[in-house]
Amino acid sequence: MDLFIAIATGTVIAATPLVFAALGELVVEKSGVLNLGIEGMMLIGAAIAVMCVFSGLPMMAAVTIAAIAGALSALLFGVLALTFMTNQYAAGLALAIFGSGVSAFIGEDFGSTPTDAVNNLHIPVLSDIPVIGPLFFQYDPLVYLSFIMFGLITWFLYRTKGGLIVRTVGESPQSAHAIGYPVIAIRYLAVLFGGAMAGIGGAYLSIAYTPLWVEDMTAGRGWISLALVVFSTWRPARVVLGAWLFGGMTILQLQGQALGVGVPSEVLSSLPYVATIVVLVIISQNRQMLALNFPASLGKPFRPAG
Protein backbone atom coordinates (compact mmCIF):
# COMPACT_ATOMS: atom_id res chain seq x y z
CA MET A 1 0.00 0.00 0.00
CA ASP A 2 2.84 2.41 0.79
CA LEU A 3 4.31 1.76 -2.66
CA PHE A 4 0.94 2.39 -4.30
CA ILE A 5 0.53 5.68 -2.41
CA ALA A 6 4.06 6.74 -3.35
CA ILE A 7 3.44 6.01 -7.04
CA ALA A 8 0.00 7.68 -7.07
CA THR A 9 1.12 10.86 -5.31
CA GLY A 10 4.36 10.94 -7.28
CA THR A 11 2.34 10.73 -10.50
CA VAL A 12 0.23 13.77 -9.59
CA ILE A 13 3.29 15.76 -8.53
CA ALA A 14 5.29 14.86 -11.65
CA ALA A 15 2.32 15.78 -13.84
CA THR A 16 1.70 19.19 -12.25
CA PRO A 17 4.14 21.27 -14.37
CA LEU A 18 2.70 19.63 -17.48
CA VAL A 19 -0.86 20.41 -16.38
CA PHE A 20 -0.04 24.10 -16.01
CA ALA A 21 1.85 24.40 -19.31
CA ALA A 22 -0.51 22.25 -21.39
CA LEU A 23 -3.70 23.89 -20.12
CA GLY A 24 -2.20 27.29 -20.92
CA GLU A 25 -1.29 26.15 -24.42
CA LEU A 26 -4.78 24.69 -24.84
CA VAL A 27 -6.30 28.16 -24.34
CA VAL A 28 -3.74 29.66 -26.75
CA GLU A 29 -4.56 27.10 -29.45
CA LYS A 30 -8.30 27.48 -28.88
CA SER A 31 -7.81 31.11 -29.92
CA GLY A 32 -6.18 29.97 -33.17
CA VAL A 33 -2.54 30.60 -32.23
CA LEU A 34 0.19 27.96 -32.09
CA ASN A 35 3.04 28.83 -29.73
CA LEU A 36 5.89 26.32 -29.90
CA GLY A 37 7.91 28.25 -27.31
CA ILE A 38 6.55 26.54 -24.17
CA GLU A 39 9.93 25.03 -23.36
CA GLY A 40 11.58 28.45 -23.34
CA MET A 41 8.83 30.06 -21.24
CA MET A 42 9.00 27.24 -18.69
CA LEU A 43 12.77 27.63 -18.42
CA ILE A 44 12.47 31.39 -17.88
CA GLY A 45 9.83 30.81 -15.21
CA ALA A 46 12.03 28.21 -13.50
CA ALA A 47 15.09 30.47 -13.46
CA ILE A 48 13.16 33.54 -12.30
CA ALA A 49 11.50 31.58 -9.48
CA VAL A 50 14.86 30.32 -8.19
CA MET A 51 16.31 33.82 -8.38
CA CYS A 52 13.37 35.20 -6.37
CA VAL A 53 13.68 32.50 -3.70
CA PHE A 54 17.41 33.17 -3.31
CA SER A 55 16.57 36.86 -3.03
CA GLY A 56 14.47 36.09 0.03
CA LEU A 57 11.01 36.49 -1.50
CA PRO A 58 8.14 34.25 -0.31
CA MET A 59 7.37 31.19 -2.41
CA MET A 60 4.05 32.50 -3.71
CA ALA A 61 5.66 35.81 -4.67
CA ALA A 62 8.31 33.85 -6.59
CA VAL A 63 5.60 31.92 -8.44
CA THR A 64 3.71 35.13 -9.25
CA ILE A 65 6.83 36.80 -10.63
CA ALA A 66 7.63 33.65 -12.64
CA ALA A 67 4.14 33.83 -14.14
CA ILE A 68 4.70 37.48 -15.08
CA ALA A 69 8.07 36.57 -16.63
CA GLY A 70 6.40 33.81 -18.64
CA ALA A 71 3.73 36.23 -19.84
CA LEU A 72 6.32 38.83 -20.85
CA SER A 73 8.28 36.23 -22.81
CA ALA A 74 5.03 35.18 -24.50
CA LEU A 75 4.48 38.86 -25.34
CA LEU A 76 7.61 38.74 -27.49
CA PHE A 77 6.07 35.88 -29.42
CA GLY A 78 2.80 37.79 -29.69
CA VAL A 79 4.46 40.86 -31.14
CA LEU A 80 6.24 38.76 -33.75
CA ALA A 81 3.35 36.46 -34.65
CA LEU A 82 0.31 38.68 -34.17
CA THR A 83 1.53 42.21 -34.90
CA PHE A 84 4.29 41.60 -37.44
CA MET A 85 2.61 38.47 -38.87
CA THR A 86 5.76 36.37 -38.57
CA ASN A 87 5.34 32.65 -39.18
CA GLN A 88 4.04 31.25 -35.88
CA TYR A 89 6.14 28.10 -36.08
CA ALA A 90 9.35 30.08 -36.56
CA ALA A 91 8.46 32.60 -33.83
CA GLY A 92 7.69 29.81 -31.37
CA LEU A 93 10.93 27.98 -32.09
CA ALA A 94 12.83 31.24 -31.68
CA LEU A 95 11.18 31.76 -28.28
CA ALA A 96 12.16 28.24 -27.18
CA ILE A 97 15.81 28.93 -28.07
CA PHE A 98 15.67 32.42 -26.56
CA GLY A 99 14.24 31.06 -23.31
CA SER A 100 16.94 28.43 -23.02
CA GLY A 101 19.69 31.03 -23.39
CA VAL A 102 18.12 33.65 -21.11
CA SER A 103 17.38 31.11 -18.37
CA ALA A 104 20.95 29.82 -18.48
CA PHE A 105 22.20 33.39 -18.02
CA ILE A 106 19.80 34.11 -15.14
CA GLY A 107 20.49 30.84 -13.36
CA GLU A 108 24.28 30.68 -13.75
CA ASP A 109 24.81 31.96 -10.19
CA PHE A 110 22.43 29.41 -8.66
CA GLY A 111 23.59 26.22 -10.40
CA SER A 112 22.80 23.02 -8.46
CA THR A 113 22.33 24.94 -5.18
CA PRO A 114 19.25 23.53 -3.38
CA THR A 115 16.49 25.95 -2.39
CA ASP A 116 13.79 25.64 0.24
CA ALA A 117 10.99 23.61 -1.30
CA VAL A 118 7.33 24.59 -1.23
CA ASN A 119 5.86 22.95 1.87
CA ASN A 120 3.00 20.47 1.64
CA LEU A 121 -0.30 21.50 3.18
CA HIS A 122 -1.57 19.75 6.28
CA ILE A 123 -5.34 19.86 6.44
CA PRO A 124 -6.53 19.04 9.97
CA VAL A 125 -8.30 15.67 10.24
CA LEU A 126 -8.39 15.09 6.44
CA SER A 127 -4.62 14.77 6.03
CA ASP A 128 -4.50 12.20 8.84
CA ILE A 129 -7.00 9.77 7.34
CA PRO A 130 -5.19 6.52 6.41
CA VAL A 131 -4.65 6.12 2.64
CA ILE A 132 -7.14 8.87 1.70
CA GLY A 133 -5.15 11.55 3.52
CA PRO A 134 -1.85 10.98 1.70
CA LEU A 135 -3.63 10.44 -1.63
CA PHE A 136 -5.71 13.63 -1.60
CA PHE A 137 -4.84 16.00 1.22
CA GLN A 138 -1.06 16.23 1.57
CA TYR A 139 0.09 18.04 -1.57
CA ASP A 140 1.68 21.47 -1.85
CA PRO A 141 -0.49 24.50 -2.72
CA LEU A 142 0.56 24.55 -6.38
CA VAL A 143 -0.82 21.06 -6.97
CA TYR A 144 -4.21 22.23 -5.71
CA LEU A 145 -3.84 25.37 -7.82
CA SER A 146 -3.45 23.16 -10.90
CA PHE A 147 -6.76 21.45 -10.03
CA ILE A 148 -8.42 24.83 -9.61
CA MET A 149 -7.04 26.09 -12.93
CA PHE A 150 -8.34 22.97 -14.68
CA GLY A 151 -11.83 23.63 -13.33
CA LEU A 152 -11.72 27.35 -14.14
CA ILE A 153 -10.45 26.83 -17.68
CA THR A 154 -13.05 24.14 -18.40
CA TRP A 155 -15.80 26.38 -17.03
CA PHE A 156 -14.54 29.42 -18.93
CA LEU A 157 -14.18 27.71 -22.31
CA TYR A 158 -17.50 25.84 -22.29
CA ARG A 159 -19.80 27.70 -19.89
CA THR A 160 -19.14 31.41 -20.47
CA LYS A 161 -19.62 33.91 -23.26
CA GLY A 162 -15.91 34.79 -23.08
CA GLY A 163 -14.97 31.17 -23.72
CA LEU A 164 -17.34 31.01 -26.67
CA ILE A 165 -15.71 34.14 -28.09
CA VAL A 166 -12.22 32.64 -27.71
CA ARG A 167 -13.34 29.46 -29.49
CA THR A 168 -15.03 31.48 -32.23
CA VAL A 169 -11.83 33.46 -32.78
CA GLY A 170 -9.98 30.15 -33.14
CA GLU A 171 -12.54 28.68 -35.52
CA SER A 172 -13.35 31.68 -37.71
CA PRO A 173 -11.56 34.93 -36.93
CA GLN A 174 -13.19 36.58 -39.96
CA SER A 175 -16.66 35.91 -38.51
CA ALA A 176 -15.61 37.09 -35.05
CA HIS A 177 -14.18 40.29 -36.56
CA ALA A 178 -17.32 40.87 -38.60
CA ILE A 179 -19.43 40.64 -35.44
CA GLY A 180 -17.19 43.25 -33.84
CA TYR A 181 -14.83 41.29 -31.61
CA PRO A 182 -11.17 42.44 -31.46
CA VAL A 183 -9.56 39.26 -32.75
CA ILE A 184 -5.93 40.36 -32.30
CA ALA A 185 -6.52 41.64 -28.76
CA ILE A 186 -8.24 38.39 -27.76
CA ARG A 187 -5.38 36.37 -29.19
CA TYR A 188 -2.89 38.54 -27.32
CA LEU A 189 -4.72 37.86 -24.05
CA ALA A 190 -4.73 34.12 -24.76
CA VAL A 191 -1.00 34.16 -25.56
CA LEU A 192 -0.22 36.09 -22.36
CA PHE A 193 -2.28 33.64 -20.32
CA GLY A 194 -0.49 30.68 -21.90
CA GLY A 195 2.87 32.27 -21.11
CA ALA A 196 1.87 32.86 -17.48
CA MET A 197 0.79 29.23 -17.10
CA ALA A 198 4.05 28.00 -18.63
CA GLY A 199 5.94 30.27 -16.22
CA ILE A 200 4.09 28.72 -13.27
CA GLY A 201 4.86 25.24 -14.60
CA GLY A 202 8.55 26.11 -14.81
CA ALA A 203 8.49 27.62 -11.31
CA TYR A 204 6.97 24.42 -9.98
CA LEU A 205 9.89 22.45 -11.38
CA SER A 206 12.56 24.60 -9.77
CA ILE A 207 11.06 25.34 -6.34
CA ALA A 208 8.78 22.35 -5.68
CA TYR A 209 9.43 19.25 -7.81
CA THR A 210 13.24 19.45 -7.76
CA PRO A 211 14.04 22.53 -5.64
CA LEU A 212 17.21 23.66 -7.34
CA TRP A 213 18.29 25.20 -10.64
CA VAL A 214 19.79 23.03 -13.37
CA GLU A 215 20.32 24.36 -16.87
CA ASP A 216 17.64 23.07 -19.28
CA MET A 217 15.94 21.36 -16.35
CA THR A 218 12.61 21.14 -18.18
CA ALA A 219 14.11 18.20 -20.13
CA GLY A 220 11.59 18.44 -22.96
CA ARG A 221 8.49 18.95 -20.82
CA GLY A 222 7.53 21.99 -22.89
CA TRP A 223 7.44 19.86 -26.03
CA ILE A 224 5.53 17.14 -24.19
CA SER A 225 2.98 19.78 -23.15
CA LEU A 226 2.49 20.66 -26.81
CA ALA A 227 1.98 16.99 -27.61
CA LEU A 228 -0.52 16.64 -24.76
CA VAL A 229 -2.77 19.28 -26.31
CA VAL A 230 -3.00 17.18 -29.47
CA PHE A 231 -3.22 13.98 -27.41
CA SER A 232 -6.21 15.49 -25.61
CA THR A 233 -7.87 16.55 -28.88
CA TRP A 234 -8.08 20.03 -27.35
CA ARG A 235 -10.17 18.96 -24.32
CA PRO A 236 -9.06 20.06 -20.81
CA ALA A 237 -9.95 16.81 -19.00
CA ARG A 238 -7.92 14.80 -21.48
CA VAL A 239 -4.99 17.18 -21.02
CA VAL A 240 -4.92 16.32 -17.32
CA LEU A 241 -5.24 12.58 -18.02
CA GLY A 242 -2.39 12.79 -20.52
CA ALA A 243 -0.23 14.65 -18.01
CA TRP A 244 -0.95 11.97 -15.41
CA LEU A 245 0.02 9.30 -17.94
CA PHE A 246 3.38 10.98 -18.51
CA GLY A 247 3.82 11.57 -14.78
CA GLY A 248 2.97 7.95 -14.03
CA MET A 249 5.49 6.66 -16.53
CA THR A 250 8.11 9.02 -15.06
CA ILE A 251 7.54 7.69 -11.53
CA LEU A 252 7.45 4.06 -12.69
CA GLN A 253 10.79 4.39 -14.46
CA LEU A 254 12.29 5.98 -11.33
CA GLN A 255 10.91 3.13 -9.23
CA GLY A 256 12.31 0.65 -11.74
CA GLN A 257 15.77 2.18 -11.45
CA ALA A 258 15.52 2.18 -7.65
CA LEU A 259 14.56 -1.50 -7.64
CA GLY A 260 17.47 -2.37 -9.91
CA VAL A 261 15.43 -3.61 -12.87
CA GLY A 262 17.76 -5.26 -15.35
CA VAL A 263 17.19 -2.66 -18.07
CA PRO A 264 19.64 0.14 -18.91
CA SER A 265 18.73 3.37 -17.11
CA GLU A 266 18.75 5.25 -20.43
CA VAL A 267 15.99 2.97 -21.72
CA LEU A 268 13.92 3.45 -18.55
CA SER A 269 14.38 7.23 -18.70
CA SER A 270 13.05 7.29 -22.25
CA LEU A 271 9.83 5.40 -21.38
CA PRO A 272 7.68 8.47 -20.59
CA TYR A 273 8.58 10.04 -23.93
CA VAL A 274 8.09 6.79 -25.84
CA ALA A 275 4.67 6.31 -24.20
CA THR A 276 3.65 9.83 -25.25
CA ILE A 277 4.74 9.21 -28.84
CA VAL A 278 2.87 5.89 -28.98
CA VAL A 279 -0.33 7.47 -27.68
CA LEU A 280 -0.01 10.33 -30.19
CA VAL A 281 0.38 7.87 -33.05
CA ILE A 282 -2.72 5.99 -31.91
CA ILE A 283 -4.74 9.19 -31.49
CA SER A 284 -3.67 10.50 -34.89
CA GLN A 285 -5.22 7.46 -36.55
CA ASN A 286 -8.67 8.73 -35.53
CA ARG A 287 -8.87 11.66 -37.91
CA GLN A 288 -12.56 12.20 -37.22
CA MET A 289 -11.89 12.86 -33.52
CA LEU A 290 -9.05 15.24 -34.35
CA ALA A 291 -11.12 17.14 -36.91
CA LEU A 292 -14.03 17.45 -34.48
CA ASN A 293 -12.10 19.56 -31.95
CA PHE A 294 -9.26 20.98 -34.06
CA PRO A 295 -9.40 24.81 -34.12
CA ALA A 296 -9.96 25.52 -37.81
CA SER A 297 -7.73 28.62 -37.89
CA LEU A 298 -4.89 27.21 -35.77
CA GLY A 299 -1.56 28.66 -36.86
CA LYS A 300 -3.12 30.86 -39.54
CA PRO A 301 -2.34 34.60 -39.38
CA PHE A 302 -5.19 37.07 -39.33
CA ARG A 303 -5.10 40.68 -40.49
CA PRO A 304 -8.24 42.74 -39.91
CA ALA A 305 -9.68 44.13 -43.13
CA GLY A 306 -9.18 47.82 -43.58
Side-chain angles (χ1 to χ4, degrees):
M1 183 58 69
D2 288 342
L3 179 61
F4 167 75
I5 292 173
I7 292 175
T9 56
T11 294
V12 173
I13 292 169
T16 297
L18 296 174
V19 171
F20 280 118
L23 285 176
E25 178 63 16
L26 174 67
V27 174
V28 175
E29 295 192 13
K30 279 292 188 181
S31 74
V33 180
L34 179 63
N35 186 354
L36 299 180
I38 301 178
E39 186 87 354
M41 295 184 294
M42 290 183 74
L43 284 168
I44 290 174
I48 290 292
V50 168
M51 183 181 71
C52 291
V53 170
F54 274 107
S55 299
L57 293 176
M59 292 292 182
M60 291 302 104
V63 173
T64 301
I65 295 172
I68 294 172
L72 289 176
S73 58
L75 181 61
L76 295 176
F77 166 84
V79 170
L80 290 173
L82 301 179
T83 299
F84 294 110
M85 310 290 286
T86 305
N87 181 280
Q88 292 181 17
Y89 297 92
L93 289 172
L95 177 57
I97 297 169
F98 171 79
S100 178
V102 169
S103 64
F105 175 75
I106 294 172
E108 64 179 350
D109 294 331
F110 314 111
S112 301
T113 303
T115 68
D116 294 329
V118 177
N119 295 323
N120 290 346
L121 294 177
H122 181 82
I123 304 173
V125 181
L126 294 177
S127 295
D128 299 322
I129 300 174
V131 182
I132 294 177
L135 281 176
F136 298 103
F137 303 111
Q138 292 186 11
Y139 296 107
D140 62 75
L142 291 177
V143 172
Y144 295 110
L145 178 61
S146 72
F147 297 157
I148 293 171
M149 293 307 300
F150 159 68
L152 289 176
I153 289 170
T154 303
W155 170 78
F156 172 76
L157 286 176
Y158 301 104
R159 294 290 184 270
T160 69
K161 180 180 178 181
L164 178 61
I165 293 171
V166 169
R167 289 186 288 126
T168 302
V169 167
E171 292 293 335
S172 179
Q174 293 81 9
S175 299
H177 178 69
I179 296 172
Y181 293 120
V183 172
I184 300 300
I186 291 169
R187 287 185 167 181
Y188 258 111
L189 289 174
V191 166
L192 291 174
F193 176 77
M197 290 286 281
I200 296 173
Y204 187 83
L205 281 174
S206 63
I207 64 174
Y209 186 60
T210 53
L212 73 156
W213 167 254
V214 177
E215 189 173 335
D216 291 328
M217 66 183 301
T218 48
R221 286 178 175 85
W223 304 109
I224 292 296
S225 298
L226 276 165
L228 287 178
V229 177
V230 180
F231 162 86
S232 69
T233 59
W234 294 272
R235 304 291 290 189
R238 295 173 187 169
V239 165
V240 175
L241 290 175
W244 285 351
L245 169 65
F246 183 88
M249 294 300 297
T250 300
I251 296 302
L252 286 175
Q253 63 93 4
L254 291 174
Q255 291 288 341
Q257 292 184 39
L259 294 173
V261 176
V263 178
S265 61
E266 293 82 3
V267 174
L268 290 174
S269 298
S270 70
L271 285 180
Y273 303 93
V274 172
T276 303
I277 293 171
V278 170
V279 171
L280 280 172
V281 169
I282 294 172
I283 291 292
S284 65
Q285 302 306 308
N286 192 338
R287 299 187 181 278
Q288 184 176 1
M289 180 183 293
L290 286 175
L292 184 63
N293 296 301
F294 179 81
S297 296
L298 181 63
K300 299 178 182 178
F302 172 77
R303 185 183 298 278

